[in-house]
Amino acid sequence: MAAAAVDSVVVVHNVAKRHNVGTLARSATAFGVAEVVVVGRRDVSAFGSHGATSHLRFRHFASLALARAYLKDERGCDICGVEITDDAQPVTAHPFRRSTAFLFGNEGTGLSQKECEICDFFVYIPQYGGGTASLNVTVAASIVLHHFAVWAGFPERSREGNKFIVADRPQGHSRGLYCTDSIEAVIEERKMRKENACDILENNGSSHPQESNGLDLMFTD
């Protein structure tokens, strides 16, 4: 069990299925996550969150390097990759030391090499049946975040009847709330978007880029 107050953070990097972020947000609020850090694309869906996104803080970064700098330098987090690697420890062993940011891969390919490179350590979820090789990312997140909450000693939420009491929606929060990017992050994102646009033009042989406002919204329906 943690000796001092700690936080958990969820890192979402170019999620393949945009609607997974909504269901992941629901699990994040249930298990006391302090913040969701979105890296790369930000046009993710709140579908499946059942209003949970209004109870979370979101922060966006254009690259993994910028996200790592924030998590390490400003939040003082360890970065934990949820992946089966040679040195991964079972999450049931609770190998946590301080505030931790969790980076989840997808069912098919898991964490990429670049994602693994920013992680300080890895955990995996032990399985006891032989019917599947991996879990859905939102299921895996729920299990890992629950274990961290138990280790950290987060107080259990009060119940009413057969459900937990939902907190009032924080004032000023909206469906599309996210923390403002730093100037450096905005510059980096614009640079990446410009480079991507050039790549698309070269591939398509076109001289007129198609404008898109997809990155102007954190959430889409």
Side-chain angles (χ1 to χ4, degrees), residues 4 10 16 21 33 73 92 94 114 119 132 157 169 192 206 212:
V10 167
V21 177
V33 167
D73 299 340
T92 50
H94 294 178
K114 286 186 177 181
C119 295
T132 184
R157 187 74 185 168
R169 179 176 294 187
M192 292 178 65
S206 171
S212 170

Side-chain angles (χ1 to χ4, degrees), residues 115-161:
E115 290 170 332
C116 289
E117 287 173 358
I118 73 166
C119 295
D120 298 304
F121 70 105
F122 298 89
V123 297
Y124 72 93
I125 300 168
Q127 292 187 187
Y128 307 98
T132 184
S134 62
L135 297 172
N136 175 277
V137 64
T138 57
V139 174
S142 296
I143 294 171
V144 171
L145 295 174
H146 179 268
H147 274 284
F148 184 86
V150 171
W151 170 83
F154 291 168
E156 184 178 324
R157 187 74 185 168
S158 299
R159 289 167 286 172
E160 188 173 276

Side-chain angles (χ1 to χ4, degrees), residues 19 39 73 88 99 153 155 162 177:
H19 63 270
V39 185
D73 299 340
S99 292
N162 61 353
L177 176 71

Side-chain angles (χ1 to χ4, degrees), residues 60-73:
H60 175 263
F61 293 96
S63 68
L64 285 169
L66 290 172
R68 183 186 185 281
Y70 165 72
L71 293 167
K72 302 294 290 184
D73 299 340

Side-chain angles (χ1 to χ4, degrees), residues 28-94:
T29 56
F31 301 122
V33 167
E35 189 172 47
V36 176
V37 170
V38 179
V39 185
R41 64 183 296 177
R42 69 167 105 189
D43 56 330
V44 293
S45 174
F47 178 79
S49 71
H50 294 262
T53 53
S54 63
H55 295 273
L56 284 169
R57 289 182 296 169
F58 287 83
R59 190 178 297 270
H60 175 263
F61 293 96
S63 68
L64 285 169
L66 290 172
R68 183 186 185 281
Y70 165 72
L71 293 167
K72 302 294 290 184
D73 299 340
E74 295 190 37
R75 293 205 67 106
C77 287
D78 283 339
I79 301 176
C80 174
V82 181
E83 182 68 281
I84 298 175
T85 64
D86 291 340
D87 58 350
Q89 301 179 66
V91 71
T92 50
H94 294 178

